[in-house]
Amino acid sequence: QSEDEVLPSAVDLLLAGDRASIPLLPRRLRIGYTRAARLIDMMEAEGIVGPAESGSKPREVLKRKEPDSASSD
């Protein structure tokens, strides 16, 4: 299966928070629910988000966004 071109945008969106939910992606990226679910499954396979919990709870984001090296703190 080829990688979805929206995957990098979806990963960036989820890395900004601490929870990943399928309904968030269609709202923010203007994609369908089925495509969003497939993206979440791809991210789970890559270790970016955790497995689905019981019920409809959001998944845990396992990786964190790398700090921007260009920013000056």
Side-chain angles (χ1 to χ4, degrees), residues 4 12 16 20 23 26-27 30 32-35 37 39 41 43 48 50-51 53-54 60 64 66 68-69 72-73:
D4 193 307
D12 286 344
R27 287 195 308 265
R30 297 184 180 263
Y33 185 90
T34 303
R35 187 174 182 188
L39 288 169
D41 288 342
M43 286 186 252
I48 297 168
E53 297 179 22
S54 61
E60 181 180 2
R64 296 288 169 232
E66 296 290 327
D68 187 7
S69 59
S72 56
D73 283 318

Side-chain angles (χ1 to χ4, degrees), residues 31-66:
I31 59 174
Y33 185 90
T34 303
R35 187 174 182 188
R38 189 170 53 245
L39 288 169
I40 293 284
D41 288 342
M42 292 167 73
M43 286 186 252
E44 180 183 352
E46 293 182 21
I48 297 168
V49 300
E53 297 179 22
S54 61
S56 59
K57 293 181 180 179
R59 298 176 187 224
E60 181 180 2
V61 176
L62 302 176
K63 292 189 176 181
R64 296 288 169 232
K65 193 166 189 160
E66 296 290 327

